[in-house]
Structure formats: C-alpha cells, structure tokens
Amino acid sequence: MPFTALHPDAGRLDATQDDLGCGMDWSRLHKARPRIALTCPECGWGVHAKRSPHGVRFFCHDPGRPPSCALSNESWEHHMLKLELAGAIRAAGWYAELEVAAADGTWRADVMASSPDGARRMAWEAQLSPITVEDIQARTARYRAEGIAVCWVCPHSRAPQWMGTVPAIRVRAPEAGDPWTVDDGIAGFDFAAGSWVVQEAELQRFVQWTLLGQVLPCRSLPRYRPLARTADGQPWGQRDGWWTSRQSARAQAEHEEMRQRQEKAEREREARKKEQESEAARKRAVHNEEARQRRAERDRRRRQLREKEDAARKEEARRLRAEHDARHARELAERTERERRERTEKERHAVATAKAWWDRLSREQLQELLAAVADRAWREERLRVDIPDSPGLAAHFAYGIPLHSRGPVHALYGIVRPCPQLVSLSPQLSFQRAFVRNAREAGELSEALTGRITHFDLPDPPGPRPDTG
C-alpha cells in the first residue's frame, strides 16, 4: 500500500484516513512483500514506522536525517494530532496539506485545509508548546490578513491561558479505541438560562462542521464569560469566545438585547417609583395634620363606643359559649350512640356471617382440618402446633381459628379457615398464613385475601353446597 501522505510527490493529503495512519491495517503493511520505501513530504528523506508508549503508530525519519527538515524534531503527539486533523479535513471533502508556509515566511500552518474549489483556506494549528496570548493573537492576525481562517488545537489536559482569546479548541486523545474528542471550545447558548453550555464532539465531526460553516467563532459578551464548570477541582474561570452555531450566536445577541431592554425598563420603573414616592411624601405631609385632628376626635368617640361594645360582646360571648357547649354535648352523645349501634350491627352481621361459614363443617370435619394443619407443620417445618380442645374464633382474623406453635417461642403459626366475607374487616390477616380444606374454599378466600393460602384437598361435606354468592 503506498503511503501517499508522506510521499514527496503527493502534494496534498489526498489519501484515505487509513493512509494517514489512523486505522491502518498494520498487519497487512508488515506482511506486504516487497516493502515499499516511504519518504518525508518535507525533505524527501526516508521515514519508518514506530509505536508510541500508548500503542499509537507514527513515522520518524531514518537515521542520518538532514537537520534542515521542519519535521525532524517533531514529537509523536504533535505528529499524530496533525495527521488526525488532516484525516478529518479529508473526510469532510476538503484538501489537506502538512507544513504549508507563506511565500514571505510570515506564517507556517501545521495543516492547511483548502476547499474543493480553492476559494477558501483554513489553517489548523496543533499548539503543544507554550505561547503567550499576545503571540498567538499576532499569529492569528497574520492569517486573517491573508483571508485565511484559523483554528488552534490544544491537546493538553488543562486549558492554556490563550484558550478563548483566539478561535481554539482543546482535544482529548483517544483511549481504548475511542475517537479524538473536542472537550473544550464548543458551546451552545441556553437562552432560558442566559449562559453558555459547554459541549463535547468528535474531532472529525467538529472539523466537518467548521469547514461547512455550521459552526463559527463567536465572541462571548462580558456578562456571559464566567463559567460555573470545574476541571480537576479547579474552576474554568471564563471564556472570551467559543465555536458555536449561528443560532447560538443569534441567541446570545437576542438575550443581550432582551437584558438591555429589561434593564432600561427597570431604570424607568425606578425613576417613576422615585417620582411617585416624592409626590406621595408631599401629600402625606399635608394629610398628616388633618388626619391628626380627625383621629383625636374619632378616638374620643371610639372610647365611648368601645366601652359599651365590650360589655355587650362579653355578654354575647357568654351566651354563645353556653349554646356551643350544649350543642357539642348533644352531638357527641348522638355520635357515640350512632357509632355504638353501627358497631353492634356490624358485630351482629359478622357473627351471623361467620356462623353460616362454620355451619358448613361438622365437628369431625373441623378436627380433620386441624389435624391436617398440625401434620403439615411437623412434616414440612418440624413444628408442633397446639390443637385446642375447644377452638375459639378470632374476630380480628376474620373469625378464623388461630393456631400457635409449641416450644420455647410461642408464636402464631397460621389461621384456620377465615371467613372470606369478613377478610376486609381484618387487614392484619394478609400477613398470616391461611389454611382451608380444599381448592374450592381456597378459591373463595383468594378473591378477598392476597396472602398465602394452603388447602389439603379434603372432601366437601355431603349434601348441597352452600350458596357463596
């Protein structure tokens, strides 16, 4: 495979991304025979592939390279970032050249992007070494003087001092197969919050947006420059500019116009308020004296009326209190009697319902069911259950028979045959086990109870089945 990106006759970087070293099938390259000699596009000297400490392939000059080559002392990080930028430019449909210098030597671009029609150019600068704000602004001005757009790219973990003062982004190197990512320099304007929101994007996608004019440099107005975001526990400070969409740029301008209108309206309201307060103070001064004389006469008459009204109110309060106490006593007595009657009626109805439920079984069938419960407790849980000689019904368990286990801990084991119609009156029954004779009784009980229900497939008593409707 010819490595056209580094060939002296290549001119522009018209190779694919694989040709740029970003995703190359290295196994194929090493297995290819015979090996194709690669040369540097800057000086024509031979180059060879190497691997960085992070496992990234890059190219170095062969031993004995001439010292005049501009790429001879370039770090692998710088070289790989330039190749990544060139690949992204190429993927966007533009041409890319490495190390393009001005005719007069006033500037030298790491990667120069040219539109297919040659009408537009944009320099991409991979800035790894320290540089002052003044120097980077001067270099940006030289590009603009020749009609060349520029974007400065910083791969460091912390933003440099010049970040935001010129069109710039900060990128994060790929890890574990991830793409290069722009993690600083792109933002969208949140009109509702009135602030810039930092965004991340893949480097290749950002390059495409930039070359197609979908994002552009935008100066941040003074009130929107401070940022609340932090990195490594340190505040970001503020940004003078962002790469953003035209919509966000308009949103910032519209928000600023809105804020100015609001501030102007607020100033006008304050002025009107002060004028109104001044006029009100003058009127109050005139009115106070008149009011003082009226108050004195009014207070005298009010004292006389108050004395009469106080006596009348006290008498009326005593009368109303007596009526209220009598009415309250009557209502309390009526409510108590009504609740007693309702409670008696509910208990009577519950007893009748429970009696009808238990009348279905003979004493022998009940003993049979209790014995089945005791046998199950011993067989499955090794618990002995007390079977009372005269089983008592528990109203708070829907008139079922509670059974307790023997042993050091006398605990409730379960409820035998609770009445389905009374389950709603016994909410605590849902936390206990219920035992019935057969599946029919379990079906009746499951319609009202959501707890655990166990049946023993015991036969129904002879005779007609009771109406359960």
Side-chain angles (χ1 to χ4, degrees), residues 8-27:
D9 298 330
R12 299 183 181 271
L13 292 180
D14 295 334
T16 64
Q17 186 177 12
D18 284 347
D19 291 336
L20 292 173
C22 304
M24 175 180 286
D25 187 350
W26 295 98
S27 61

Side-chain angles (χ1 to χ4, degrees), residues 319-381:
R319 185 184 65 79
L320 293 175
R321 189 179 302 110
E323 292 179 356
H324 176 270
D325 293 343
R327 184 171 59 254
H328 180 71
R330 289 194 303 272
E331 292 174 353
L332 180 60
E334 292 172 358
R335 184 169 62 253
T336 302
E337 177 62 20
R338 184 171 58 255
E339 292 174 353
R340 186 191 64 77
R341 288 196 300 269
E342 292 175 354
R343 187 167 55 253
T344 301
E345 178 62 22
K346 287 182 179 179
E347 291 175 355
R348 186 194 64 76
H349 181 267
V351 170
T353 302
K355 183 176 183 301
W357 169 251
W358 282 103
D359 284 347
R360 299 183 188 182
L361 297 185
S362 65
R363 183 174 183 81
E364 290 76 14
Q365 291 171 332
L366 172 59
Q367 293 299 327
E368 181 185 22
L369 175 57
L370 295 176
V373 174
D375 180 67
R376 176 191 181 280
W378 175 251
R379 186 180 63 257
E380 297 185 5
E381 305 177 40

Side-chain angles (χ1 to χ4, degrees), residues 275-291 294:
E275 182 179 353
Q276 293 170 357
E277 289 175 350
S278 177
E279 178 64 17
R282 185 190 64 80
K283 291 181 178 180
R284 282 195 301 271
V286 174
H287 186 71
N288 282 343
E289 180 60 24
E290 298 175 355
R294 289 195 299 270

